DNA sequence: ACCTGAACACCGTTCAAGT
DNA sequence: ACCTGAACACCGTTCAAGT
């Protein structure tokens, strides 16, 4: 939506990149509660510049998270061509868990409150679209039970990532172990006894995480 | 371990209770980031009194969480007598998810960092003990696959609780829906294809969440 | 012993002054 | 346009003075 934006001045663009890089490095090393002062210093800019380039610390985090989600979405899209539809879906899930290991802090950001961020929501919508295609394809091939939806699966991934938590650092195999459990839950064999309730919709999601506004460029298009 | 402590003076004990009650109410209503100033006010004490009764805000939260976990543990212990071992285990899991709905804030506290709290860890150890008995019993009866451990199941519960998140307020059935998925993952039928890796141990857990010390009464016993 | 509120430290955010 | 650091607001925590 925010496509028509005049490019930043050269130094501003350079600062933006430096801040993103510094923030990403700092967050990966020490978690999301590193101060903006340190990030600014690592980026070689003044403290005020952080808030000139990003409306808030949360938006700075969101910008990085959005990048990460776009990566995952691209990976999922590529897997739509996998010869075995079921394996395509599970390769995607496995990939998500692996990504989490490399930067836990960023994944933590997706939990709860950050989902209300407009930009993150847009990125997530694309990811859900691809996930939906992967799931449908796996269901058509008979590998996955018919009564789950893409948002069920997304919730399972989120749960898995949260569940293994710091454990992943102790036992690198814990991820694949719980992926096996997830596989069992999703298998068409397990579909013999159907799930209660109904699969969540994106509308449900919108109600659960009411948007909180982001960097809307003022009012109307310039 | 901290059994031999002389009782507090009457007013101190009264303040302690008032603070716990006020904190519990405030946390339930508005989440864990209500200020200690407000909690003190609701309890009718000065701001400094909070830190006289509890070493930090985190300890105040921990005291409430420990109570909650003890409740859950008691419930689990009662279910060890359930006629059907499998249903006993699943009733316990269902109960945990229901508890979460009533006070989400407290459950969020169990995630990540708070697990390093010594008192919470002790309470959790008891819960794991009971959960282990429930799981073993369900395995002996043939209802649950043999290759999962109590800590696998604990991680699944945690993941489920985190995954459904605020969704639970939108769709009250989402909990049982995902409990059904969990049931499928744990069923002995799913055990046909065994899990990779090994079940986590409490020692693994200790390494993943190094204890960070709590209200140890100074150095030695008085 | 315990209570209290003023004072401190810390961190996200704003803004007037500078280029 | 953009950059900067001093100043502000907020919140957890400490502590000297009071009972």
């Amino acid at each position: 939506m925010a496509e028509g934006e005049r490019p930043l001045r050269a130094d501003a663009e350079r600062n933006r990149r430096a801040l993103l890089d510094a923030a990403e490095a700092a967050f990966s090393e020490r978690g999301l509660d590193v101060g903006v002062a340190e990030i600014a210093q690592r980026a070689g800019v003044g403290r005020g510049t952080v808030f000139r380039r990003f409306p808030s610390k949360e938006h700075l985090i969101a910008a990085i998270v959005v990048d990460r989600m776009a990566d995952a979405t691209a990976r999922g899209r590529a897997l739509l061509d996998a010869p075995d539809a079921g394996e395509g879906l599970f390769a995607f899930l496995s990939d998500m868990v692996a990504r989490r290991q490399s930067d836990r802090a960023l994944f933590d950001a997706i939990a709860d409150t950050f989902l209300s961020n407009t930009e993150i929501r847009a990125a997530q919508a694309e990811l859900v679209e691809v996930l939906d295609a992967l799931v449908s394809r796996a269901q058509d091939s008979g590998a996955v039970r018919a009564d789950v939806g893409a948002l069920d699966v997304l919730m399972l991934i989120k749960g898995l990532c949260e569940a293994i938590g710091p454990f992943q650092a102790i036992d690198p195999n814990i991820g694949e172990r719980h992926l096996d459990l997830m596989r069992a839950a999703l298998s068409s064999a397990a579909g013999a006894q159907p799930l209660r309730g109904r699969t969540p919709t994106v509308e449900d999601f919108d109600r659960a995480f009411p948007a909180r506004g982001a960097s809307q460029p003022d009012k109307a298009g310039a």
Side-chain angles (χ1 to χ4, degrees), chain A:
Chain A
M1 37 183 106
E3 292 292 353
E5 282 172 343
R6 57 188 169 297
L8 296 169
R9 220 169 65 178
D11 54 348
E13 180 58 39
R14 202 176 328 124
N15 285 341
R16 201 186 116 90
R17 268 258 61 86
L19 280 168
L20 284 172
D21 292 344
E24 189 173 332
F27 290 149
S28 295
E29 288 171 23
R30 318 220 318 267
L32 289 176
D33 44 3
V34 284
V36 300
E38 180 181 331
I39 293 172
Q41 190 185 343
R42 285 172 82 148
V45 303
R47 214 153 66 254
T49 305
V50 179
F51 296 93
R52 181 148 251 283
R53 295 280 71 90
F54 303 93
S56 71
K57 182 184 180 183
E58 183 180 316
H59 282 84
L60 170 58
I61 298 173
I64 301 176
V65 172
V66 165
D67 268 5
R68 290 278 187 279
M69 290 184 74
D71 283 351
T73 302
R75 166 79 170 143
R77 201 165 273 134
L79 283 168
L80 281 172
D81 298 331
D84 182 314
E87 292 311 313
L89 172 61
F90 290 116
F92 176 71
L93 302 182
S94 180
D95 185 66
M96 291 281 287
V97 176
R99 277 171 204 279
R100 193 206 108 93
Q101 187 158 25
S102 45
D103 42 12
R104 179 146 38 99
L106 277 315
F107 264 75
D108 291 349
I110 312 182
D112 287 10
T113 26
F114 277 89
L115 280 181
S116 294
N117 178 289
T118 309
E119 279 110 5
I120 289 185
R121 280 287 270 292
Q124 189 195 256
E126 287 187 56
L127 192 153
V128 168
E129 216 173 304
V130 170
L131 182 57
D132 188 57
L134 284 167
V135 170
S136 299
R137 203 162 153 267
Q139 285 169 330
D140 291 346
S141 84
V144 166
R145 62 193 303 165
D147 56 353
V148 295
L151 281 175
D152 281 319
V153 177
L154 187 65
M155 285 170 64
L156 286 174
I157 303 176
K158 183 186 167 190
L160 171 44
C161 288
E162 298 280 348
I164 58 183
F167 240 106
Q168 207 171 17
I170 301 296
D171 176 4
N173 298 327
I174 193 69
E176 59 184 24
R177 179 176 180 81
H178 278 255
L179 277 168
D180 286 345
L181 283 167
M182 187 165 158
R183 208 169 174 128
L186 294 177
S187 87
S188 52
Q193 24 214 359
L195 301 173
R196 284 170 286 180
R198 56 184 184 73
T199 186
T201 66
V202 283
E203 286 77 24
D204 293 332
F205 215 90
D206 288 344
R207 248 177 304 157
F209 298 96
R212 223 178 21 198
S215 59
Q216 288 132 342
D218 297 36
K219 321 275 163 150

